[in-house]
């Protein structure tokens, strides 16, 4: 668990978050029909390294790349490949981690490739709103599960399914730390949030079933029914009145 107490550490972790902000602002223009997810990975890795940071996913538990590139029915952990080429109408989530000045940050955006279906657009919109609703609850004195509940509520209202197999997490000194941050649950459970606690909140929202399968590569998580999945994630610092989003 990382609880920041000094302005010096706050500054350090913000500079790590800034690397991911930069990645997303640059990569968006690259997400066009015809580009492979391996090309996206190389592009992102270059941006991270040029920012005096290290790609946090590369080599993590053996993951071979700097981004997780998850297209359409892939929920998370898609491995970049020259065989996965984006086509008009696809959606792709790009999940990236950076380490800079001793601090890890972790974030994800789901992008559309050209013109996408209204179903896909709505899914992306709801997934983003789930993240926003979760972040709103990340205030000191609140209970951890209030974040979880807020996410579930937005998904439920939209008649979409929050994935329960994967959860958000503490981040900061390590890429994945305590506490786990589920994307569902009752309010009022779990630890009381402390000011300065760093969390990666990351709802994954499915169009159809919430159930997932893992492909034979051991990483790629796909929806069991083959329908679409969207994923948004930010690294945030719990604050007195509101969370600070650093990615
Ligand atoms: Mg994460």
């Amino acid at each position: 668990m990382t609880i920041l107490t000094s302005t010096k550490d706050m500054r350090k972790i913000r500079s790590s978050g800034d690397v991911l902000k930069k990645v997303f602002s640059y990569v968006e223009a690259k997400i066009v029909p015809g580009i492979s997810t391996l090309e996206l990975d190389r592009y992102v890795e270059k941006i991270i390294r040029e920012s005096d940071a290290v790609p946090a996913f590369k080599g993590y538990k053996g993951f071979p790349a700097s981004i997780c590139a998850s297209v359409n029915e892939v929920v998370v952990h898609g491995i970049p490949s020259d065989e996965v080429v984006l086509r008009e109408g696809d959606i792709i989530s790009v999940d990236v981690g950076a380490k800079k000045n001793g601090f890890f940050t972790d974030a994800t955006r789901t992008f559309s490739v050209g013109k996408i279906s209204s179903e896909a657009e709505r899914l992306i919109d709801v997934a983003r709103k789930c993240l926003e609703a979760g972040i709103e609850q990340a205030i000191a004195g609140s209970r951890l599960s209030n974040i979880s509940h807020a996410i579930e509520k937005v998904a439920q209202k939209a008649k979409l399914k929050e994935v329960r197999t994967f959860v958000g997490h503490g981040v900061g000194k390590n890429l994945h730390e305590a506490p786990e941050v589920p994307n569902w649950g009752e309010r009022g459970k779990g630890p009381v949030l402390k000011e300065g606690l760093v969390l990666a909140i990351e709802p994954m929202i499915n169009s159809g079933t919430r159930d997932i399968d893992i492909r034979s590569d051991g990483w790629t998580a796909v929806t069991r029914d083959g329908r679409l999945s969207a994923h948004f994630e930010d690294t945030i610092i719990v604050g007195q009145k509101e969370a600070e989003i650093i990615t």
Side-chain angles (χ1 to χ4, degrees):
M1 199 176 298
T2 299
I3 298 177
L4 302 170
T5 50
S6 74
T7 51
K8 196 175 157 201
D9 283 349
M10 294 277 237
R11 220 180 300 126
K12 282 184 181 171
I13 200 165
R14 281 186 197 117
S15 78
S16 176
D18 285 344
V19 175
L20 298 187
K21 284 187 196 165
K22 190 167 149 192
V23 162
F24 291 124
S25 76
Y26 278 68
V27 84
E28 189 163 17
K30 293 274 174 190
I31 297 183
V32 291
I35 195 165
S36 74
T37 55
L38 186 65
E39 285 171 272
L40 291 175
D41 179 65
R42 294 205 171 127
Y43 181 69
V44 169
E45 180 167 353
K46 192 162 169 268
I47 297 169
I48 294 172
R49 293 201 190 276
E50 283 173 0
S51 311
D52 299 318
V54 175
F57 295 176
K58 200 160 194 177
Y60 183 80
K61 294 184 177 168
F63 191 78
S66 299
I67 65 170
C68 296
S70 304
V71 179
N72 296 334
E73 76 279 11
V74 181
V75 180
V76 279
H77 305 157
I79 299 173
S81 163
D82 55 4
E83 284 168 18
V84 179
V85 175
L86 298 183
R87 292 166 308 179
E88 178 93 15
D90 284 343
I91 64 171
I92 175 176
S93 76
V94 178
D95 190 349
V96 197
K99 185 186 186 193
K100 185 171 179 175
N101 292 329
F103 283 100
F104 289 89
T105 48
D106 189 0
T108 308
R109 303 284 183 271
T110 298
F111 298 97
S112 51
V113 184
K115 175 121 184 71
I116 60 172
S117 68
S118 54
E119 180 198 346
E121 245 168 50
R122 184 170 162 270
L123 176 70
I124 290 176
D125 187 51
V126 170
R128 189 188 293 113
K129 285 181 175 144
C130 284
L131 174 60
E132 288 165 3
I135 291 172
E136 273 176 29
Q137 300 296 320
I139 41 180
S142 180
R143 293 288 194 112
L144 181 77
S145 79
N146 296 0
I147 298 172
S148 312
H149 182 74
I151 292 168
E152 179 185 357
K153 222 172 79 184
V154 173
Q156 221 171 51
K157 214 173 148 198
K159 299 202 158 45
L160 297 172
K161 291 288 193 302
E162 74 286 354
V163 172
R164 297 185 171 186
T165 316
F166 302 103
V167 294
H169 50 93
V171 62
K173 294 193 186 90
N174 301 284
L175 181 59
H176 293 114
E177 308 179 335
E180 287 194 347
V181 187
N183 295 311
W184 80 100
E186 284 173 48
R187 278 181 66 85
K189 311 266 177 188
V192 174
L193 299 175
K194 287 207 176 100
E195 185 175 10
L197 173 66
V198 189
L199 296 175
I201 301 175
E202 52 174 322
M204 290 143 243
I205 307 298
N206 292 356
S207 279
T209 178
R210 74 169 94 256
D211 296 338
I212 64 121
D213 288 314
I214 306 287
R215 284 190 184 148
S216 57
D217 59 27
W219 282 104
T220 312
V222 295
T223 56
R224 187 159 292 167
D225 58 7
R227 291 181 68 184
L228 297 175
S229 184
H231 180 196
F232 282 87
E233 174 180 28
D234 272 314
T235 296
I236 63 98
I237 306 170
V238 172
Q240 273 304 333
K241 291 211 172 99
E242 58 178 8
E244 179 182 342
I245 302 168
I246 56 169
T247 51

